[in-house]
Amino acid sequence: QLQLRDSFGSKFGVIAAAAGSAVGLGNIWKFPYIAGIYGGAAFLFVYLAFIVAIGLPVMLSELIIGRGSRRNAFGAFKVLAPGTPWRYIGILGVSAAFLILSFYGVVAGWSVQYIVLSLENGFSNKTPDEISSLFATLIGSPIKPVLLQLFFMLLTGAIVIIGIKKGIEKYTKILMPVLVVILIFLCIKAVSLEGAKAGLLFLFKPDFSKLTGDGILSALGHAFFTLSLGMGTLITYGSYIKNDNNLVNTVINVTVADTVIAILAGVAIFPAVFAFGIEPSEGPGLIFVTLPNVFHQMPGGYIFSILFFVLLSVAALTSAISILEVVVAYFKEEFNMGRKASTVLATILISILGILCSLSMGVLSPYTFLGLNIFDLMDWISANLLLPIGGLFIALFVGWFLGRKKVKEEVAKGGSLSGIFLSAFLFLVKFIAPIAIAIVMLNKVGLLRF
Ligand code: PHE
Ligand code: NA
């Protein structure tokens, strides 16, 4: 019964791993494309409001649950609230992990494809139209994207199998800072393009009349997705954090890093979108059709392009690792499996679902549910449904079930949260976060209008 649990080695390692989880395709691929669909700046502001009012407190809640129980996302609730139905939140989380990683691996596979294309100098001498059909052809083909997705899943599984300290922690520490530097270079180039101003206005000058119920729900869903919240990733990572770690610091660092990188991605992309006459509502292909245009216009573009897609793939990898770890820790602790067996099983199951997602961009595209192909369906259900619902219950659990004394105790282990901040935090998790999430979701299904 008593097994020695793995843990993170250093404090910096904790932040690197949690930030590695947060910063990923969500920031660089997904944020610009959904902001583009939902009108730019208005979406950005609602998203930022959700990050502060809901993201921050839910992230702290997950770390408290994880470290306070030292269990996986399902087992954590069994330890903290034995014999209660709270543990089903964990099942919701593990399911979300399956759905998210299945389409996440596909996009990561595209990113790997773009490393190869960059190496082959495959974007030079191409018009924006040609670059955009290049993307469509690639993702629609039946074999290559599937193989690359499987390759990516294999890599993810290989690191997770090694374990926390030697696998996850080691690799994330080095690579994140390099990504930020590249992104800053891209921003500088993008902003100096002719016609850049329209892109910046689109991103920063809000027109709230453009905001729809769908846009608000997507902003909420994306706040969860981008911070890796609502499905137990940070419960799981929290369970590996040592007691002398300052949870509040970790939360703030990770949130700021994630938000800054999303905004940088927006600044790198929207000026180029407008400069090259690409539709901001282009969808999942937005960065893959926009950035190659930027690369082949900038000095050193060949190198930048390779580096960028390598780092995007790495950012995707550190996030994918954290998603897989949710399922692995669950199999391992709840079914008494070894780390190896649970990693192999989880990787195989998710990859199968992933193949369907990949094929839904091509041969399986006629099969849709609620008007969405399999890929979009996995994305929609997880981000807009499972994560916010998971987050709602996580907030309620910490606010109402654990309560002030337990929260204070856990936070005080490696840091402090003075009275007023503690009260503010509890107010957010007891009332603001759950009510806001409920309103946004009810509004979406038409039960409530505002
Ligand atoms: N936060 C990651 C990103 O922005 C994705 C993710 C979602 C990771 C949920 C873990 C859990 O890319
Ligand atoms: Na993110």
mmCIF file of all heavy atoms in Angstrom, residues 19-28 31 47 104 222-228 254 257-259 261-262 319, ligand 2:
data_model
loop_
_atom_site.group_PDB
_atom_site.id
_atom_site.type_symbol
_atom_site.label_atom_id
_atom_site.label_comp_id
_atom_site.label_asym_id
_atom_site.label_seq_id
_atom_site.Cartn_x
_atom_site.Cartn_y
_atom_site.Cartn_z
ATOM 1 N N ALA A 19 4.472 25.415 -15.954
ATOM 2 C CA ALA A 19 4.415 26.353 -17.079
ATOM 3 C C ALA A 19 4.530 25.583 -18.390
ATOM 4 O O ALA A 19 3.897 25.932 -19.380
ATOM 5 C CB ALA A 19 5.515 27.406 -16.967
ATOM 6 N N GLY A 20 5.323 24.533 -18.379
ATOM 7 C CA GLY A 20 5.449 23.698 -19.570
ATOM 8 C C GLY A 20 4.113 23.079 -19.946
ATOM 9 O O GLY A 20 3.777 22.935 -21.123
ATOM 10 N N SER A 21 3.350 22.724 -18.931
ATOM 11 C CA SER A 21 2.012 22.200 -19.187
ATOM 12 C C SER A 21 1.109 23.295 -19.749
ATOM 13 O O SER A 21 0.403 23.103 -20.727
ATOM 14 C CB SER A 21 1.409 21.654 -17.891
ATOM 15 O OG SER A 21 0.038 21.390 -18.084
ATOM 16 N N ALA A 22 1.152 24.448 -19.114
ATOM 17 C CA ALA A 22 0.251 25.529 -19.523
ATOM 18 C C ALA A 22 0.591 26.043 -20.920
ATOM 19 O O ALA A 22 -0.275 26.158 -21.777
ATOM 20 C CB ALA A 22 0.312 26.667 -18.503
ATOM 21 N N VAL A 23 1.859 26.341 -21.130
ATOM 22 C CA VAL A 23 2.245 26.929 -22.409
ATOM 23 C C VAL A 23 2.340 25.848 -23.467
ATOM 24 O O VAL A 23 3.122 24.921 -23.348
ATOM 25 C CB VAL A 23 3.598 27.644 -22.293
ATOM 26 C CG1 VAL A 23 4.031 28.160 -23.664
ATOM 27 C CG2 VAL A 23 3.496 28.784 -21.297
ATOM 28 N N GLY A 24 1.502 25.971 -24.482
ATOM 29 C CA GLY A 24 1.508 24.933 -25.510
ATOM 30 C C GLY A 24 0.771 25.392 -26.742
ATOM 31 O O GLY A 24 0.694 26.591 -27.043
ATOM 32 N N LEU A 25 0.205 24.444 -27.429
ATOM 33 C CA LEU A 25 -0.550 24.766 -28.639
ATOM 34 C C LEU A 25 -1.698 25.708 -28.328
ATOM 35 O O LEU A 25 -2.141 26.467 -29.180
ATOM 36 C CB LEU A 25 -1.079 23.481 -29.263
ATOM 37 C CG LEU A 25 -0.007 22.501 -29.748
ATOM 38 C CD1 LEU A 25 -0.632 21.165 -30.112
ATOM 39 C CD2 LEU A 25 0.733 23.094 -30.938
ATOM 40 N N GLY A 26 -2.185 25.649 -27.101
ATOM 41 C CA GLY A 26 -3.273 26.537 -26.694
ATOM 42 C C GLY A 26 -2.916 27.998 -26.902
ATOM 43 O O GLY A 26 -3.735 28.796 -27.346
ATOM 44 N N ASN A 27 -1.685 28.351 -26.570
ATOM 45 C CA ASN A 27 -1.271 29.748 -26.674
ATOM 46 C C ASN A 27 -0.999 30.166 -28.109
ATOM 47 O O ASN A 27 -1.370 31.252 -28.533
ATOM 48 C CB ASN A 27 0.014 29.981 -25.876
ATOM 49 C CG ASN A 27 -0.104 29.506 -24.462
ATOM 50 O OD1 ASN A 27 -0.378 28.336 -24.216
ATOM 51 N ND2 ASN A 27 0.076 30.400 -23.527
ATOM 52 N N ILE A 28 -0.305 29.315 -28.848
ATOM 53 C CA ILE A 28 0.246 29.752 -30.121
ATOM 54 C C ILE A 28 -0.632 29.324 -31.303
ATOM 55 O O ILE A 28 -0.793 30.060 -32.262
ATOM 56 C CB ILE A 28 1.686 29.234 -30.254
ATOM 57 C CG1 ILE A 28 2.529 29.893 -29.147
ATOM 58 C CG2 ILE A 28 2.274 29.541 -31.626
ATOM 59 C CD1 ILE A 28 3.831 29.217 -28.894
ATOM 60 N N PHE A 31 -5.215 29.994 -29.371
ATOM 61 C CA PHE A 31 -5.639 31.341 -28.967
ATOM 62 C C PHE A 31 -5.840 32.271 -30.177
ATOM 63 O O PHE A 31 -6.905 32.872 -30.314
ATOM 64 C CB PHE A 31 -4.681 31.954 -27.939
ATOM 65 C CG PHE A 31 -4.927 33.408 -27.707
ATOM 66 C CD1 PHE A 31 -6.035 33.826 -26.983
ATOM 67 C CD2 PHE A 31 -4.091 34.375 -28.255
ATOM 68 C CE1 PHE A 31 -6.305 35.169 -26.803
ATOM 69 C CE2 PHE A 31 -4.353 35.721 -28.090
ATOM 70 C CZ PHE A 31 -5.459 36.117 -27.355
ATOM 71 N N TYR A 47 -11.591 36.936 -22.169
ATOM 72 C CA TYR A 47 -10.668 35.862 -21.809
ATOM 73 C C TYR A 47 -9.765 36.280 -20.635
ATOM 74 O O TYR A 47 -9.598 35.533 -19.663
ATOM 75 C CB TYR A 47 -9.869 35.501 -23.075
ATOM 76 C CG TYR A 47 -8.537 34.840 -22.891
ATOM 77 C CD1 TYR A 47 -8.441 33.477 -22.631
ATOM 78 C CD2 TYR A 47 -7.356 35.573 -23.031
ATOM 79 C CE1 TYR A 47 -7.196 32.870 -22.501
ATOM 80 C CE2 TYR A 47 -6.116 34.971 -22.911
ATOM 81 C CZ TYR A 47 -6.041 33.625 -22.639
ATOM 82 O OH TYR A 47 -4.813 33.027 -22.508
ATOM 83 N N TYR A 104 -4.981 16.979 -29.679
ATOM 84 C CA TYR A 104 -3.740 17.728 -29.434
ATOM 85 C C TYR A 104 -2.570 17.076 -30.164
ATOM 86 O O TYR A 104 -1.731 17.749 -30.771
ATOM 87 C CB TYR A 104 -3.473 17.732 -27.931
ATOM 88 C CG TYR A 104 -2.676 18.900 -27.412
ATOM 89 C CD1 TYR A 104 -3.306 20.098 -27.097
ATOM 90 C CD2 TYR A 104 -1.296 18.812 -27.218
ATOM 91 C CE1 TYR A 104 -2.590 21.164 -26.596
ATOM 92 C CE2 TYR A 104 -0.577 19.881 -26.717
ATOM 93 C CZ TYR A 104 -1.238 21.052 -26.410
ATOM 94 O OH TYR A 104 -0.525 22.114 -25.922
ATOM 95 N N HIS A 222 -11.503 28.466 -23.195
ATOM 96 C CA HIS A 222 -10.090 28.621 -23.505
ATOM 97 C C HIS A 222 -9.271 29.026 -22.287
ATOM 98 O O HIS A 222 -8.109 28.646 -22.160
ATOM 99 C CB HIS A 222 -9.867 29.600 -24.652
ATOM 100 C CG HIS A 222 -8.448 29.591 -25.097
ATOM 101 N ND1 HIS A 222 -7.861 28.467 -25.649
ATOM 102 C CD2 HIS A 222 -7.452 30.507 -25.001
ATOM 103 C CE1 HIS A 222 -6.583 28.716 -25.882
ATOM 104 N NE2 HIS A 222 -6.308 29.942 -25.500
ATOM 105 N N ALA A 223 -9.871 29.796 -21.374
ATOM 106 C CA ALA A 223 -9.148 30.144 -20.147
ATOM 107 C C ALA A 223 -8.761 28.862 -19.400
ATOM 108 O O ALA A 223 -7.644 28.728 -18.894
ATOM 109 C CB ALA A 223 -9.995 31.055 -19.265
ATOM 110 N N PHE A 224 -9.676 27.899 -19.366
ATOM 111 C CA PHE A 224 -9.364 26.616 -18.724
ATOM 112 C C PHE A 224 -8.329 25.839 -19.514
ATOM 113 O O PHE A 224 -7.362 25.317 -18.970
ATOM 114 C CB PHE A 224 -10.638 25.769 -18.579
ATOM 115 C CG PHE A 224 -11.438 26.144 -17.376
ATOM 116 C CD1 PHE A 224 -12.568 26.947 -17.498
ATOM 117 C CD2 PHE A 224 -11.067 25.704 -16.116
ATOM 118 C CE1 PHE A 224 -13.306 27.310 -16.378
ATOM 119 C CE2 PHE A 224 -11.798 26.062 -14.993
ATOM 120 C CZ PHE A 224 -12.920 26.867 -15.136
ATOM 121 N N PHE A 225 -8.567 25.764 -20.822
ATOM 122 C CA PHE A 225 -7.676 24.980 -21.676
ATOM 123 C C PHE A 225 -6.243 25.498 -21.589
ATOM 124 O O PHE A 225 -5.292 24.744 -21.376
ATOM 125 C CB PHE A 225 -8.175 25.036 -23.121
ATOM 126 C CG PHE A 225 -7.401 24.169 -24.078
ATOM 127 C CD1 PHE A 225 -7.756 22.849 -24.282
ATOM 128 C CD2 PHE A 225 -6.318 24.682 -24.780
ATOM 129 C CE1 PHE A 225 -7.039 22.041 -25.165
ATOM 130 C CE2 PHE A 225 -5.594 23.890 -25.667
ATOM 131 C CZ PHE A 225 -5.962 22.561 -25.862
ATOM 132 N N THR A 226 -6.091 26.795 -21.728
ATOM 133 C CA THR A 226 -4.750 27.351 -21.805
ATOM 134 C C THR A 226 -3.988 27.215 -20.490
ATOM 135 O O THR A 226 -2.782 27.049 -20.480
ATOM 136 C CB THR A 226 -4.775 28.825 -22.276
ATOM 137 O OG1 THR A 226 -3.447 29.202 -22.630
ATOM 138 C CG2 THR A 226 -5.295 29.752 -21.207
ATOM 139 N N LEU A 227 -4.701 27.263 -19.370
ATOM 140 C CA LEU A 227 -4.010 27.117 -18.084
ATOM 141 C C LEU A 227 -3.978 25.655 -17.620
ATOM 142 O O LEU A 227 -3.565 25.368 -16.511
ATOM 143 C CB LEU A 227 -4.678 27.997 -17.021
ATOM 144 C CG LEU A 227 -4.575 29.511 -17.253
ATOM 145 C CD1 LEU A 227 -5.358 30.270 -16.182
ATOM 146 C CD2 LEU A 227 -3.120 29.969 -17.249
ATOM 147 N N SER A 228 -4.391 24.742 -18.467
ATOM 148 C CA SER A 228 -4.417 23.307 -18.128
ATOM 149 C C SER A 228 -5.309 23.015 -16.928
ATOM 150 O O SER A 228 -4.976 22.185 -16.086
ATOM 151 C CB SER A 228 -3.009 22.780 -17.819
ATOM 152 O OG SER A 228 -2.102 23.082 -18.821
ATOM 153 N N VAL A 254 3.017 30.914 -13.295
ATOM 154 C CA VAL A 254 2.514 30.128 -14.426
ATOM 155 C C VAL A 254 1.465 30.921 -15.208
ATOM 156 O O VAL A 254 1.484 30.963 -16.440
ATOM 157 C CB VAL A 254 1.927 28.788 -13.933
ATOM 158 C CG1 VAL A 254 1.205 28.062 -15.057
ATOM 159 C CG2 VAL A 254 3.037 27.911 -13.361
ATOM 160 N N ALA A 257 3.136 33.807 -17.189
ATOM 161 C CA ALA A 257 3.884 33.280 -18.329
ATOM 162 C C ALA A 257 2.935 32.871 -19.447
ATOM 163 O O ALA A 257 3.124 33.215 -20.619
ATOM 164 C CB ALA A 257 4.745 32.092 -17.901
ATOM 165 N N ASP A 258 1.898 32.156 -19.092
ATOM 166 C CA ASP A 258 0.969 31.668 -20.103
ATOM 167 C C ASP A 258 0.274 32.815 -20.842
ATOM 168 O O ASP A 258 0.136 32.801 -22.062
ATOM 169 C CB ASP A 258 -0.075 30.757 -19.452
ATOM 170 C CG ASP A 258 -0.931 30.070 -20.486
ATOM 171 O OD1 ASP A 258 -0.470 29.057 -21.038
ATOM 172 O OD2 ASP A 258 -2.042 30.556 -20.768
ATOM 173 N N THR A 259 -0.145 33.814 -20.063
ATOM 174 C CA THR A 259 -0.894 34.921 -20.666
ATOM 175 C C THR A 259 0.007 35.762 -21.567
ATOM 176 O O THR A 259 -0.385 36.141 -22.679
ATOM 177 C CB THR A 259 -1.514 35.794 -19.552
ATOM 178 O OG1 THR A 259 -2.245 34.927 -18.684
ATOM 179 C CG2 THR A 259 -2.437 36.833 -20.116
ATOM 180 N N ILE A 261 2.616 34.826 -23.161
ATOM 181 C CA ILE A 261 2.952 34.108 -24.389
ATOM 182 C C ILE A 261 1.776 34.075 -25.368
ATOM 183 O O ILE A 261 1.958 34.206 -26.576
ATOM 184 C CB ILE A 261 3.486 32.703 -24.060
ATOM 185 C CG1 ILE A 261 4.862 32.870 -23.394
ATOM 186 C CG2 ILE A 261 3.609 31.842 -25.313
ATOM 187 C CD1 ILE A 261 5.517 31.611 -22.949
ATOM 188 N N ALA A 262 0.558 33.974 -24.846
ATOM 189 C CA ALA A 262 -0.607 34.022 -25.742
ATOM 190 C C ALA A 262 -0.685 35.383 -26.430
ATOM 191 O O ALA A 262 -0.925 35.473 -27.638
ATOM 192 C CB ALA A 262 -1.891 33.743 -24.968
ATOM 193 N N SER A 319 3.205 19.955 -22.860
ATOM 194 C CA SER A 319 1.794 19.966 -22.469
ATOM 195 C C SER A 319 1.196 18.569 -22.589
ATOM 196 O O SER A 319 0.459 18.110 -21.711
ATOM 197 C CB SER A 319 0.990 20.924 -23.347
ATOM 198 O OG SER A 319 1.490 22.233 -23.228
HETATM 199 NA NA NA B 2 -1.673 27.554 -22.503
#
